[in-house]
Amino acid sequence: MSIWPEENLRDRVTAGGGRVSMSADELLRDFGIRQPTQAARRNVEMWLAQAGLGVDPSLGANGLPSSVTLYERKPLAELPPPAAPERVEEPAAVDAAPAEPVAAVPAAADAAPGEPKPPRPAPAARRPAPAARRSAPARTRGEAIRRRVSTFLFVLGALMVAEFAITVIWQEPVSAYLQHRAQEKLKGQLDQLDAKPLDIGDTGRLELSKIRSNKRRLDRRLDLLGARLARDVHEGGAVGRLEVSRIGLSAVVVQGTSAPSLRKAPGHYTGTVMPGQNGSVGIAGHRTSYGAPFRHVDQLKTGDKLVLTMPYGRFTYRVERKRIVSPSQTDLFQRVGYQRLVLSACHPLYSAAQRILVFARLESRRPLGAGAIDDRAKNKMALHVDPRKRYQRQLHRLGKRDLKLGDKGKGVRELQRLLGLPQTGRFDALTAAAVKQFQQQHKLPVVGQAGPATKRLLARRAHPPSRPPTPPDVAPQPPNAQQRRAAGLPPLPPAGGRAPARPRP
């Protein structure tokens, strides 16, 4: 039969003459209390009071006493039938057990003759059957709920702080994961574009067949293929891949700059041209969220290489300059007379107050796929110059020695050709001024002579400039002897001698 702990304690108090001393921890262990909160101690004292026992000192005080004394308050027969109180935890020995059958006491007439009659048991106050489980008081349940809520808020705050720190140091993690999944799908779209070459149609092929120059025919072919790709690819579809080794960027580029498109990848401005067409190719990207492809775009320097690979060609650009503008400017990607790439992103980080633009000029191109197919060529392949071989060849022509004022030779002639000057083969004042102008444009030390850094940048040029640099301002020179005679001026005195006497009229 299941016995409550207070009944055992009541028996101990009765056996001890009405008072028993014990430690408070032992008393709480008898009731199965693991955490001696004030509410739990009050429940223990209430259960003891219902059993007719008092506790000295009281367990409901602020502090837990080391030892307590249990004493009998009222006779058991005078105790009112206790209601089933609520308890914090179930004691270890409260499992309900099946009631054992009580043997019937034989009546007096049934006793054998000559045997004494068994004593009649004293009537005891009936104790109500214990409840299967005593529920916790409302106050204790509220404390548990508050504890769980506080734990949840603490964990939530820790996650928010961690996300903020990761965003500041690296990028926003959730959107980065979403763009990573989008990039995997876009790679499949690029593979489909490469597997099915673009078709410029019969009209385009007829137009190309009438162009005799290989270079002009290749220019027009890339122009037609870029226009065809812009028409075929829908908003958010993959069009190419952008690679920037300086900032560790390698990402698929999509068509369009709408919010859904930029969540997947850097987007191509639909109002700008495609690579292979004359004008500005505009590409925008995020800096803090959705993979942050342009996070370190402000670290690009003059001369850094940007490679844009399209289904019809591989285009290599070199950074020329950077510019910070306001978002309200509408002439950011105006057409120019050459091919260039413009990267756009918000500036500074975590703000959209301004825009940072990186301008890069086309250095070389290599036709691929449909761009490398030439119906008019004998081998059906378009002719193109390997940019690496051209760079090595031009650098070799410039020579190893520094070129300065007064030098002559083939190296000076190659230097003048790359600068767009008349190829006289002599390093004169005009050549020095053009070198200074080139060094100033590319943020090199303006020294007026061609050293290794200047030669490397010049050797990367695919073609000399169409217009020569502005000649320097030259101080007016004194007239020579012939000019003096024509102007009626007296001749100059000989070196080291006296001026001749002026003839008398």
Side-chain angles (χ1 to χ4, degrees):
M1 183 173 61
S2 178
I3 299 177
W4 292 106
E6 55 265 31
E7 296 179 358
N8 294 332
L9 293 174
R10 185 185 61 201
D11 295 341
R12 289 180 58 183
V13 172
T14 303
R19 299 183 71 88
V20 171
S21 297
M22 59 190 309
S23 67
D25 294 337
E26 181 184 358
L27 176 62
L28 296 176
R29 280 198 304 270
D30 290 344
F31 285 88
I33 302 300
R34 299 179 182 177
Q35 296 182 358
T37 61
Q38 189 175 11
R41 286 185 273 125
R42 288 177 179 174
N43 291 338
V44 172
E45 189 169 1
M46 179 182 61
W47 295 330
L48 291 173
Q50 292 175 354
L53 298 178
V55 185
D56 186 27
S58 175
L59 294 175
N62 292 333
L64 179 65
S66 59
S67 62
V68 295
T69 300
L70 301 181
Y71 59 90
E72 189 174 359
R73 298 176 59 181
K74 292 182 181 181
L76 183 60
E78 300 178 8
L79 284 176
E86 296 179 343
R87 177 175 293 186
V88 178
E89 295 186 7
E90 184 73 14
V94 296
D95 295 334
E100 299 179 357
V102 181
V105 179
D110 297 336
E115 293 183 1
K117 293 181 179 182
R120 189 178 183 86
R126 286 192 176 183
R127 186 176 182 82
R133 181 176 182 85
R134 298 178 179 180
S135 58
R139 183 173 180 179
T140 305
R141 188 180 299 110
E143 290 180 355
I145 294 176
R146 287 194 296 270
R147 189 182 303 111
R148 293 174 184 173
V149 171
S150 61
T151 303
F152 171 75
L153 293 178
F154 175 78
V155 174
L156 181 62
L159 292 177
M160 293 178 64
V161 171
E163 183 185 15
F164 175 76
I166 295 174
T167 303
V168 172
I169 298 174
W170 179 53
Q171 56 181 283
E172 205 281 318
V174 177
S175 60
Y177 170 73
L178 295 177
Q179 191 184 64
H180 175 73
R181 294 183 57 185
Q183 285 283 315
E184 294 298 327
K185 296 180 180 179
L186 293 174
K187 291 178 183 177
Q189 296 182 14
L190 274 184
D191 295 339
Q192 295 178 2
L193 289 176
D194 294 337
K196 185 179 179 181
L198 297 172
D199 186 13
I200 57 177
D202 296 337
T203 304
R205 283 190 288 271
L206 179 61
E207 180 184 354
L208 293 176
S209 63
K210 298 179 181 180
I211 302 177
R212 292 188 176 183
S213 172
N214 292 334
K215 180 179 179 303
R216 291 180 56 194
R217 192 165 57 252
L218 176 60
D219 293 343
R220 183 55 181 162
R221 182 185 303 106
L222 296 179
D223 189 358
L224 293 174
L225 291 172
R228 181 59 183 266
L229 181 64
R231 291 194 305 267
D232 292 350
V233 178
H234 57 82
E235 177 80 17
V239 294
R241 174 177 290 277
L242 176 63
E243 297 173 294
V244 185
S245 57
R246 165 72 71 176
I247 59 177
L249 172 62
S250 178
V252 178
V253 180
V254 299
Q255 179 75 333
T257 55
S258 62
S261 298
L262 292 181
R263 292 192 188 106
K264 297 189 293 184
H268 168 252
Y269 284 98
T270 55
T272 63
V273 300
M274 297 291 284
Q277 299 177 312
N278 283 335
S280 301
V281 181
I283 297 179
H286 288 291
R287 297 191 67 188
T288 57
S289 59
Y290 295 100
F294 288 178
R295 182 179 182 88
H296 303 293
V297 73
D298 57 333
Q299 299 179 7
L300 292 176
K301 300 179 180 179
T302 301
D304 287 342
K305 183 170 68 172
L306 285 70
V307 179
L308 190 55
T309 305
M310 309 298 291
Y312 53 87
R314 181 181 176 90
F315 301 86
T316 302
Y317 302 84
R318 291 287 176 179
V319 176
E320 289 186 328
R321 58 191 176 94
K322 292 181 292 187
R323 183 181 174 190
I324 307 298
V325 299
S326 63
S328 59
Q329 289 189 250
T330 58
D331 57 343
L332 303 179
F333 305 102
Q334 69 272 18
R335 282 185 173 271
V336 292
Y338 56 92
Q339 300 184 30
R340 70 176 180 181
L341 173 64
V342 183
L343 304 183
S344 173
C346 295
H347 185 80
L349 286 174
Y350 319 108
S351 174
Q354 294 177 314
R355 298 287 186 271
I356 180 171
L357 302 180
V358 178
F359 297 88
R361 185 163 183 161
L362 180 66
E363 179 189 56
S364 63
R365 61 187 178 180
R366 181 179 181 182
L368 301 173
I373 301 175
D374 189 357
D375 294 332
R376 182 165 179 170
K378 294 181 180 180
N379 57 359
K380 302 299 182 181
M381 299 301 295
L383 300 177
H384 68 278
V385 179
D386 189 344
R388 292 174 295 180
K389 293 182 180 179
R390 182 181 62 244
Y391 168 75
Q392 295 293 340
R393 182 171 61 253
Q394 294 179 162
L395 189 62
H396 176 72
R397 290 175 182 173
L398 290 172
K400 297 182 178 180
R401 64 188 180 94
D402 293 352
L403 301 177
K404 55 186 180 300
L405 193 64
D407 290 346
K408 300 179 182 179
K410 297 180 180 180
V412 177
R413 187 175 291 106
E414 180 68 12
L415 175 66
Q416 292 172 338
R417 186 185 73 84
L418 294 175
L419 290 173
L421 298 174
Q423 301 176 31
T424 62
R426 180 173 181 177
F427 201 116
D428 52 6
L430 181 60
T431 306
V435 170
K436 289 182 179 180
Q437 184 178 353
F438 178 82
Q439 292 170 342
Q440 185 177 7
Q441 291 176 352
H442 293 79
K443 297 183 179 180
L444 295 174
V446 183
V447 294
Q449 62 182 17
T454 305
K455 288 181 180 179
R456 284 194 296 269
L457 286 180
L458 281 170
R460 291 194 182 103
R461 284 191 163 182
H463 306 283
S466 57
R467 288 183 294 180
T470 304
D473 296 333
V474 181
Q477 300 293 328
N480 53 25
Q482 184 178 0
Q483 293 173 344
R484 292 180 70 86
R485 285 196 300 269
L489 298 176
L492 293 175
R498 297 175 62 182
R502 181 176 297 179
R504 294 181 180 181

